[in-house]
Amino acid sequence: MATTPDRFRNMALMYREVARLTPGLTTAELLVRCEAANLPARAARDVDDIMDDPHLHATGFFQRRTHPSEGDYFEMRPPVKFGAAPVREASLPPQLDEQGARIRAGEGLSDAG
């Protein structure tokens, strides 16, 4: 049985073998083979797949937000809840230099050019 140091030493070889053996297989075929070999594996998904995921839609994981200067975007809600604590809405990201004067003042720097 391989040890963790052995795995790290052989990582480049392992990636070369995966690149050699897998190009002709679909993701579904690879997942079946990994399961049969008792290897933990999940499919990597792109943004379009995730945005259309029925479970994420049902749970309201993505929330459409509007930023005053950047426009509409999707925000991911926290994936876990802690007891009865309410989920707090995240503040919008600051605009360019919105907090600059406060930061510069905290560092003893002048706001003058």
Side-chain angles (χ1 to χ4, degrees), residues 22 26 51 69 92 95 98 112:
T22 60
T26 67
M51 294 301 292
S69 63
L92 292 171
Q95 293 185 0
E98 180 179 329

Side-chain angles (χ1 to χ4, degrees), residues 58-81:
T59 60
F61 183 68
F62 292 109
Q63 177 182 3
R64 183 180 289 274
R65 303 277 309 268
T66 301
H67 190 279
S69 63
E70 305 307 311
D72 291 343
Y73 68 100
F74 286 99
E75 175 179 85
M76 295 177 285
R77 293 181 183 228
V80 296
K81 289 181 77 174

Side-chain angles (χ1 to χ4, degrees), residues 11-102:
M11 195 171 294
L13 174 62
M14 187 269 304
Y15 279 119
R16 280 195 304 274
E17 283 299 293
V18 168
R20 183 179 69 81
L21 296 170
T22 60
L25 301 172
T26 67
T27 300
E29 291 167 334
L30 285 169
L31 290 173
V32 166
R33 288 180 182 205
C34 286
E35 185 175 343
N38 201 27
L39 295 172
R42 290 315 255 167
R45 299 173 62 195
D46 65 24
V47 173
D48 290 335
D49 288 341
I50 291 171
M51 294 301 292
D52 293 333
D53 184 278
H55 173 74
L56 297 177
H57 273 286
T59 60
F61 183 68
F62 292 109
Q63 177 182 3
R64 183 180 289 274
R65 303 277 309 268
T66 301
H67 190 279
S69 63
E70 305 307 311
D72 291 343
Y73 68 100
F74 286 99
E75 175 179 85
M76 295 177 285
R77 293 181 183 228
V80 296
K81 289 181 77 174
F82 295 98
V87 176
R88 293 181 9 202
E89 181 135 340
S91 60
L92 292 171
Q95 293 185 0
L96 183 62
D97 202 38
E98 180 179 329
Q99 301 167 345
R102 181 181 56 78

